[in-house]
């Protein structure tokens, strides 16, 4: 077997571009103590930009419900809504592992339902892994998917699909519920999940979970000690009007887009666009 097939990237972030990142690369990064970034993506063009920037994992999140489809929560988005977005991200990238969120109502009923949904994302959209929310109640689903050869990213803490049970978007894992979250994380690892997202949990709890697991933790509002960090790309680029506390705005894309579209409109109304440079002769 050639070295090009067996070699691994020296770093998960950046790394080589000759093949896709795999769950083995994710596990190796944990062993090295390497931290890495994950961002959401919902279309081919942004996926290409993030992929070329070296982002090793792209998540086609059910957050598309809000940032793509305009809903006020993740609950309304469907499998059929997310399938074309996932396929576009796969086509737009060449190195990143593409993880597809299983939307609300597409896996909770039974392991069989979860398997049928996940298989669709893998076969029809080309996803490389799937993500689902919940702890011990979804262990049968995780086990069924892993047994079928489907990598599973778990998700604990504030699980947005359960927002109505939580009574809103609140920090999870304080007090006794922190012990329950720890137990859930260990059970998910035992069930075969290759990583676990920790959302909106106290930083000290996230640190304890991270050190207790051999699989990577991915934080979002979980402090600095997790193995990886994830943000919705529209949040980090400054498109979201009222971002959560855990969001750092790295660029004011909303302001730049407003400036650009106003410049275009002003030139059109003034008759100064298009110029001969932008016309065919």
């Amino acid at each position: 077997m050639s070295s090009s097939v067996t070699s691994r990237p020296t770093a998960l972030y950046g790394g080589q571009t000759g093949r896709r990142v795999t769950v083995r690369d994710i596990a190796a990064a944990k062993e090295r103590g390497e931290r890495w970034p994950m961002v959401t993506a919902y279309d081919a063009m942004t996926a290409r930009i993030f992929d070329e920037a070296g982002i090793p994992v792209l998540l086609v999140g059910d957050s598309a419900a809000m940032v793509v489809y305009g809903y006020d929560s993740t609950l309304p988005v469907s499998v059929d809504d997310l399938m074309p977005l996932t396929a576009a991200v796969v086509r737009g990238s060449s190195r990143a592992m593409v993880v597809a969120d299983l939307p609300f109502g597409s896996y909770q009923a039974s392991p069989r339902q979860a398997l049928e949904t996940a298989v669709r994302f893998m076969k029809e959209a080309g996803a490389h892994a799937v993500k689902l929310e919940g702890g011990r109640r979804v262990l049968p689903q995780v086990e069924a998917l892993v047994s079928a050869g489907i990598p599973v990213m778990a998700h604990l803490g504030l699980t947005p699909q359960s927002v109505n049970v939580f009574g809103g978007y609140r920090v999870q894992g304080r007090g006794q519920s922190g012990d329950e979250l720890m137990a859930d994380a260990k059970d998910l690892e035992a069930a075969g999940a290759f990583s676990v997202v920790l959302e909106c949990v106290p930083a000290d709890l996230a640190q304890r979970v991270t050190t207790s697991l051999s699989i990577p933790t991915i934080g979002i509002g979980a402090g600095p000690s997790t193995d990886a960090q994830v943000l919705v790309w529209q949040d980090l680029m400054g498109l979201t009007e009222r971002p959560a506390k855990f969001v750092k705005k790295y660029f004011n894309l909303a302001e730049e887009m407003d400036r650009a579209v106003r410049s275009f409109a002003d030139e059109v109304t003034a008759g100064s666009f298009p110029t001969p440079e932008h016309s065919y002769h």
Side-chain angles (χ1 to χ4, degrees):
M1 186 177 292
S2 68
S3 59
S4 63
V5 174
T6 58
S7 62
R8 294 183 181 181
T10 55
L12 195 59
Y13 168 59
Q16 68 185 35
T17 57
R19 62 168 178 80
R20 293 281 185 179
V21 170
T22 70
V23 293
R24 293 183 64 196
D25 300 319
I26 302 295
K30 171 88 172 186
E31 295 173 2
R32 292 193 302 268
E34 179 193 345
R35 294 179 177 176
W36 48 275
M38 179 169 82
V39 296
T40 62
Y42 314 97
D43 66 87
M45 293 186 72
T46 51
R48 177 181 56 81
I49 293 169
F50 301 153
D51 191 64
E52 291 180 353
I55 302 298
V57 183
L58 297 176
L59 172 66
V60 186
D62 58 4
S63 48
M66 287 91 81
V67 299
V68 175
Y69 292 109
Y71 296 114
D72 59 5
S73 76
T74 65
L75 300 182
V77 78
S78 69
V79 172
D80 288 340
D81 289 331
L82 295 182
M83 289 284 286
L85 306 188
T86 304
V89 171
V90 171
R91 289 192 295 266
S93 59
S94 61
R95 175 180 179 266
M97 173 192 291
V98 178
V99 181
D101 246 337
L102 301 188
F104 178 71
S106 71
Y107 63 92
Q108 289 92 342
S110 67
R112 178 175 179 176
Q113 183 197 34
L115 182 58
E116 290 174 349
T117 303
V119 165
R120 283 198 64 195
F121 275 105
M122 302 287 282
K123 286 177 66 70
E124 298 175 34
H128 311 118
V130 299
K131 182 173 79 65
L132 50 74
E133 297 181 3
R136 279 160 282 186
R137 63 183 173 82
V138 297
L139 290 179
Q141 284 89 330
V142 174
E143 291 171 348
L145 297 185
V146 173
S147 295
I150 299 173
V152 175
M153 177 179 288
H155 187 154
L156 293 172
L158 173 58
T159 47
Q161 293 176 11
S162 301
V163 64
N164 291 325
V165 174
F166 295 148
Y169 295 95
R170 303 173 183 274
V171 174
Q172 304 295 312
R174 289 178 172 146
Q176 183 179 349
S177 63
D179 295 333
E180 296 172 359
L181 188 146
M182 176 69 79
D184 281 342
K186 290 183 177 179
D187 286 344
L188 287 163
E189 178 182 37
F194 75 91
S195 60
V196 57
V197 173
L198 301 176
E199 180 168 359
C200 289
V201 303
D204 59 341
L205 174 61
Q207 182 178 29
R208 287 192 284 121
V209 172
T210 299
T211 57
S212 297
L213 300 183
S214 61
I215 60 174
T217 57
I218 303 162
I220 178 167
S225 298
T226 53
D227 298 299
Q229 297 287 336
V230 60
L231 284 176
V232 172
W233 82 257
Q234 289 90 342
D235 287 346
L236 72 90
M237 293 290 183
L239 286 178
T240 306
E241 290 184 4
R242 293 180 295 276
K245 176 183 178 180
F246 57 76
V247 172
K248 179 178 179 178
K249 184 168 69 174
Y250 288 85
F251 188 68
N252 195 338
L253 184 58
E255 185 176 291
E256 295 300 318
M257 291 178 70
D258 179 80
R259 181 181 296 113
V261 77
R262 287 177 184 271
S263 295
F264 165 68
D266 289 344
E267 290 187 8
V268 169
T269 56
S272 58
F273 176 83
T275 62
E277 178 186 359
H278 300 103
S279 301
Y280 294 103
H281 304 284

